[in-house]
Amino acid sequence: MNRTKKIGVAGCGALGSIVCDALRDGIEYYDFVGVSDLDEPDFGVPNMSFGDLAETCDIVVECLPPKVVPALAKETLERDKDLLMISACALLLSPEINDMAKKSAGRIMVPSGAIAGLDAISALNFAGIDSATIATTKPPRGLKGAPYIKQKNIDLDEIKGNTLIFRGSALEAAQAFPANVNVAATLSLAGIGPERTQVEVWADPNAQGNCHDITVKGGSSTIKTSVANAPDPSNPKSSMLAGYSLVATLKKRSDKIVVI
Ligand SMILES: NC(=O)c1ccc[n+]([C@@H]2O[C@H](COP(=O)([O-])OP(=O)(O)OC[C@H]3O[C@@H](n4cnc5c(N)ncnc54)[C@H](O)[C@@H]3O)[C@@H](O)[C@H]2O)c1
């Protein structure tokens, strides 16, 4: 049986480049056939439109700005191909993607990204989850350009100490910070959903990186995880761990013993 799948990457910025490098080096059972980016990235494979990439591939890895994701999802799912999606916020902000997935033979897979503990949180669903919270702390520059920062006229340069910027549901957080709280969207999808998952966004000029503290309670368990990521050098909003989580997800197909 030929298990090899044709794979491509849409968006070759900070995270997509990590995936492209790993695929170019070789991941067993994947044939790296193309990319899609506005620039002309040099990974030794052709740069194509979303439609051509979806047509050529069995699986497409998404590493795009969230607002572009619905267009890629449409091209991929209409062709019954699989989508490995890092921009989890897009699933909250563009519910039509869920409808497309329901009609498609293709699937959407969301990796753990920049956080930890989703395996245990998925398991705890079976006992019932009472509460899920995530507090994300970033250096102020990591929140630059977010719709909420603009609407509230927040001067990020004026923040002197650790400051609570936002508190609300994961759905509200995705609308307020579409490029910053993918982790909250992923947590909500693994747990009790975007309306019930609570999110805090903190800006700390002394933060060395992007930190995510999660507390989930239910049944007879309390799950607490804390992840501190150095910002990606090419995009301070992102963490390299998110790129590695995509590569790890792909590698799990070929590992003979898989921890999931
Ligand atoms: N789930 C997580 O934990 C997590 C963590 C960090 C980042 N993210 C998300 O991952 C996504 C990628 O992050 P990044 O840091 O790599 O972003 P980036 O800005 O570094 O890269 C985005 C790439 O997409 C390309 N692009 C933009 N519009 C395009 C279009 N219309 N067609 C083709 N290519 C286009 C850009 O040229 C760029 O190369 C973002 O949505 C980000 O919010 C998720």
Side-chain angles (χ1 to χ4, degrees), residues 10-16 36-39 50 62-66 68 86-88 111-115 178-180 182-183 186 234-235 237-239 242:
C12 301
L15 302 186
S36 186
D37 200 289
L38 298 176
D39 298 333
F50 289 164
E62 175 276 313
C63 297
L64 295 164
V68 189
I86 196 69
S87 301
S112 54
I115 50 174
N180 310 90
N182 286 287
V183 285
T186 306
S234 52
N235 183 357
K237 291 188 182 73
S238 290
S239 309

Side-chain angles (χ1 to χ4, degrees), residues 2-8 23 27-33 56-60 80-82 105 107 109 250 253:
N2 180 12
R3 291 184 60 199
T4 300
K5 287 199 182 232
K6 292 193 171 118
I7 189 166
L23 286 168
I27 304 180
E28 200 175 0
Y29 299 129
Y30 290 100
D31 182 10
F32 185 25
V33 294
T56 312
C57 293
D58 301 303
I59 173 168
V60 176
D80 293 327
K81 307 294 180 72
D82 289 337
R107 299 168 73 213
M109 294 160 283
L250 296 176
R253 259 193 85 224

Side-chain angles (χ1 to χ4, degrees), residues 68-253:
V68 189
V69 177
L72 177 72
K74 182 172 184 296
E75 299 290 356
T76 307
L77 295 168
E78 268 182 3
R79 290 173 171 84
D80 293 327
K81 307 294 180 72
D82 289 337
L83 190 59
L84 180 56
M85 185 188 285
I86 196 69
S87 301
C89 270
L91 288 168
L92 274 51
L93 297 173
S94 307
E96 69 271 19
I97 298 177
N98 299 283
D99 299 332
M100 291 177 208
K102 279 181 199 149
K103 290 187 197 138
S104 173
R107 299 168 73 213
I108 298 176
M109 294 160 283
V110 180
S112 54
I115 50 174
L118 296 170
D119 46 356
I121 292 163
S122 302
L124 196 57
N125 272 324
F126 288 94
I129 293 176
D130 299 320
S131 65
T133 62
I134 177 166
T136 287
T137 305
K138 298 195 178 209
R141 70 192 169 108
L143 300 172
K144 212 172 154 196
Y148 188 85
I149 299 294
K150 288 187 194 160
Q151 278 158 20
K152 299 282 173 187
N153 225 355
I154 297 171
D155 185 349
L156 293 167
D157 294 331
E158 282 303 307
I159 294 176
K160 301 293 176 223
N162 195 12
T163 304
L164 180 62
I165 300 284
F166 170 91
R167 181 185 280 140
S169 70
L171 183 58
E172 292 163 340
Q175 288 156 349
F177 300 93
N180 310 90
V181 296
N182 286 287
V183 285
T186 306
L187 170 66
S188 75
L189 294 168
I192 51 176
E195 279 95 6
R196 289 180 62 208
T197 302
Q198 289 301 304
V199 182
E200 291 181 359
V201 177
W202 294 75
D204 183 357
N206 300 313
Q208 296 303 308
N210 304 322
C211 301
H212 308 290
D213 295 295
I214 293 174
T215 304
V216 175
K217 295 181 182 171
S220 55
S221 300
T222 297
I223 300 165
K224 285 177 185 270
T225 73
S226 182
V227 179
N229 296 306
D232 191 301
S234 52
N235 183 357
K237 291 188 182 73
S238 290
S239 309
M240 291 167 82
L241 186 68
Y244 303 150
S245 83
L246 287 162
V247 177
T249 303
L250 296 176
K251 271 187 86 305
K252 280 178 184 170
R253 259 193 85 224

Side-chain angles (χ1 to χ4, degrees), residues 12 20-21 23-24 31-35 40-47:
C12 301
C20 289
D21 282 337
L23 286 168
R24 190 172 48 182
D31 182 10
F32 185 25
V33 294
V35 294
E40 285 295 329
D42 184 13
F43 291 104
V45 292
N47 189 19

